[in-house]
Amino acid sequence: FDDIRKNHNPFLFLNAGDFHYQDISSTEMEDRVAAFDKVMGSPSQGKLYSSQAMSYIWDDHDWIGNNKDGVSNEPAGTTAKLSYQLLFPHYDLAALGNTTS
């Protein structure tokens, strides 16, 4: 992350998924906020993500775990979507449902 920031001076950083690998299955918003805070508290990632525009696409680990689909464990999925809306500037989101088709 430091190499990207220092040697490539990006105008935009695109995180194409898996912002974290915590595989959170709980419905507690605090668990999700802590996972995002851990990433942003990382010296190299935090500096990169804070130094220019960033676009973020969430993926399975950000949702409710590795290789989970968009409908598994709906209560945790709802919390995942709400945390994304709380923590990231974003475009309008589709209705919660099967996000993999």
Side-chain angles (χ1 to χ4, degrees):
F1 296 102
D2 283 335
D3 179 63
I4 294 168
R5 185 176 52 82
K6 292 177 182 177
N7 298 320
H8 300 282
N9 194 26
F11 175 74
L12 169 74
F13 183 80
L14 174 62
N15 182 315
D18 297 337
F19 188 78
H20 63 76
Y21 291 90
Q22 300 299 308
D23 296 336
I24 301 166
S25 61
S26 82
T27 58
E28 298 299 319
M29 180 68 76
E30 294 81 13
D31 295 339
R32 295 189 174 277
V33 171
F36 287 98
D37 284 350
K38 182 177 180 180
V39 171
M40 292 305 292
S42 163
S44 60
Q45 283 178 284
K47 283 181 185 176
L48 174 65
Y49 296 161
S50 299
S51 65
Q52 76 283 309
M54 180 178 136
S55 182
Y56 162 56
I57 304 165
W58 70 345
D59 200 13
D60 56 350
H61 293 281
D62 310 307
W63 174 250
I64 54 174
N66 191 30
N67 297 323
K68 299 291 185 178
D69 61 30
V71 294
S72 298
N73 196 354
E74 175 117 3
T78 298
T79 306
K81 185 176 178 180
L82 291 172
S83 69
Y84 176 87
Q85 291 173 304
L86 173 70
L87 297 166
F88 284 95
H90 57 277
Y91 299 103
D92 289 339
L93 303 176
L96 189 60
N98 187 341
T99 59
T100 61
S101 59

